[in-house]
Amino acid sequence: MRVLGIETSCDETGVALYDSEQGLLGHELYSQVALHAQYGGVVPELASRDHVRKIIPLLTTLLAKTATRPQQIAGVAYTAGPGLIGALLVGASVGRSIAWTWGVPAIGVHHLEGHLLAPLLETPAPTFPFLALLVSGGHTQLVAVRGMGEYQLLGESVDDAAGEAFDKTAKLLGLGYPGGAALAHLAEQGHPNVFHFSRPMTNRPGLAFSFSGLKTHVLTAWKSQENPSEQTRADIARAFEDAVVDTLVIKCRRALKETRLQRLVVAGGVGANKQLRHQLQVLGQELNVKVFYPRIEFCTDNGAMIALAGCLRLQAGQQSPLNFNAHPRWLMTQIDATYSQLKSP
């Protein structure tokens, strides 16, 4: 089964073709970073308009590069949520329209499910069940994944997610947009143990996260320096990154011991962080747990993960109706309830 995937939940336009037998055939991605950089963050209206401009040219390029004809495509998958409502509606309307025109089923995919399943695009791919650390944009979650659609939320952030904390802290330090990647790069030049920030919520039981307080610690440390040098900025960035990474690793250790799962999947944009990958690899060796990641280009939003998730859903006999919906807020715990209402082809 060959499925076209469309991702437009925020500021990246992604399209991809996934074949159930041949795997990923190709993907195209356009990032709007340059468009939003002057505003210091994503402007929803501009994001939506840019998706409109880019999506059809990207689809045309994808079909040409993969030598795929519409008759070869058996289904269309698009991100239905969560995300920016205007951006979601661009992908949903285009995806559903294409499916209707080509006479094939369409399926609205949960954005986070796409991230959870992204490591299945790799070789070797993890098998169910596994523990997933999902650190994508505004989400930091630990999820026990027993199978397709069988997700148990074990813990999540009660305030800022890790990605948000990276971006906001970068702004406090005067770094550019997007700040998370800039801060991680700066942290590589920092010296360890010059500054020390708390590992929030690790001194109590549970698997919940909280990163908002770290921003305050960073701001206090930065303002306490009379004439801070670039090295001081790097040292603070290093201390912040160490605090976030340590916190994530501590909670993963707890979750693995509680669930006794032998596989750990790391997905989402923060999953590209070098320090996090290293520390989780060390944890995996210590606990005899296999750790899986998507390739770096599939850590951030992309069409490949949507095409894969959509293919699995369509193969299970699910499809979205013609009166499609977009869900700017769509909890992981609501996935099964939403899909159970969908009719079979």
Side-chain angles (χ1 to χ4, degrees), residues 1 4 9 12 39 46-47 57 78 88 106 125 135 161 167 172 187 205 226 233 256 275 298 314 323-324 328 331 342:
M1 183 180 205
L4 170 66
S9 65
E12 284 156 329
Y39 304 102
L46 295 181
Y78 56 86
L88 290 169
V135 276
D167 287 338
L172 291 177
E226 291 186 5
R233 191 196 306 265
L256 288 167
Q275 185 68 6
F298 292 157
L314 289 169
N323 58 329
F324 62 88
L331 300 178
L342 303 182

Side-chain angles (χ1 to χ4, degrees), residues 286-306:
E286 177 188 336
L287 300 181
N288 195 27
V289 169
K290 292 185 178 179
V291 184
F292 298 86
Y293 309 90
R295 69 197 75 169
I296 297 297
E297 62 187 313
F298 292 157
C299 286
T300 53
D301 297 349
N302 62 89
M305 66 183 191
I306 302 303

Side-chain angles (χ1 to χ4, degrees), residues 123-307:
T123 302
T127 55
F128 300 119
F130 55 77
L131 174 70
L133 171 64
L134 182 59
V135 276
S136 169
H139 302 87
T140 298
Q141 300 176 334
L142 280 166
V143 184
V145 181
R146 307 292 178 181
M148 183 66 186
E150 300 178 44
Y151 311 131
Q152 178 188 3
L153 182 61
L154 303 175
E156 62 183 336
S157 180
V158 298
D159 41 52
D160 284 351
E164 290 176 315
F166 263 95
D167 287 338
K168 292 177 180 179
T169 300
K171 190 172 184 179
L172 291 177
L173 292 176
L175 304 178
Y177 171 84
L183 189 148
H185 178 71
L186 180 62
E188 294 179 0
Q189 305 167 40
H191 300 310
N193 304 318
V194 176
F195 294 89
H196 180 82
F197 301 134
S198 64
R199 278 54 176 162
M201 298 187 74
T202 58
N203 60 349
R204 67 185 78 174
L207 297 172
F209 300 92
S210 172
F211 295 107
S212 64
L214 281 176
K215 301 194 307 293
T216 303
H217 293 169
V218 169
L219 183 61
T220 301
W222 180 244
K223 287 188 173 181
S224 68
Q225 308 298 309
E226 291 186 5
N227 294 297
S229 63
E230 282 303 307
Q231 186 58 53
T232 298
R233 191 196 306 265
D235 293 341
I236 291 176
R238 173 64 184 268
F240 170 82
E241 183 183 62
D242 286 346
V244 173
V245 169
D246 284 353
T247 300
L248 293 173
V249 172
I250 290 170
K251 293 303 177 80
C252 282
R253 180 192 301 274
R254 288 184 187 177
L256 288 167
K257 289 184 176 180
E258 289 181 14
T259 61
R260 298 184 180 181
L261 292 170
Q262 296 301 303
R263 287 171 289 276
L264 172 64
V265 160
V266 185
V270 182
N273 183 275
K274 295 179 182 178
Q275 185 68 6
L276 177 62
R277 289 192 171 217
H278 172 71
Q279 293 298 337
L280 288 178
Q281 207 64 47
V282 172
L283 176 65
Q285 293 172 358
E286 177 188 336
L287 300 181
N288 195 27
V289 169
K290 292 185 178 179
V291 184
F292 298 86
Y293 309 90
R295 69 197 75 169
I296 297 297
E297 62 187 313
F298 292 157
C299 286
T300 53
D301 297 349
N302 62 89
M305 66 183 191
I306 302 303

Side-chain angles (χ1 to χ4, degrees), residues 1-5 16-26 62 75 120-121 303-304 306-312 315:
M1 183 180 205
R2 187 169 297 187
V3 175
L4 170 66
L17 279 171
Y18 179 83
D19 189 284
S20 57
E21 295 183 359
Q22 301 176 53
L24 182 65
L25 301 180
L62 174 67
L120 298 181
L121 293 164
I306 302 303
L308 168 62
C311 183
L312 295 175
Q315 285 182 314

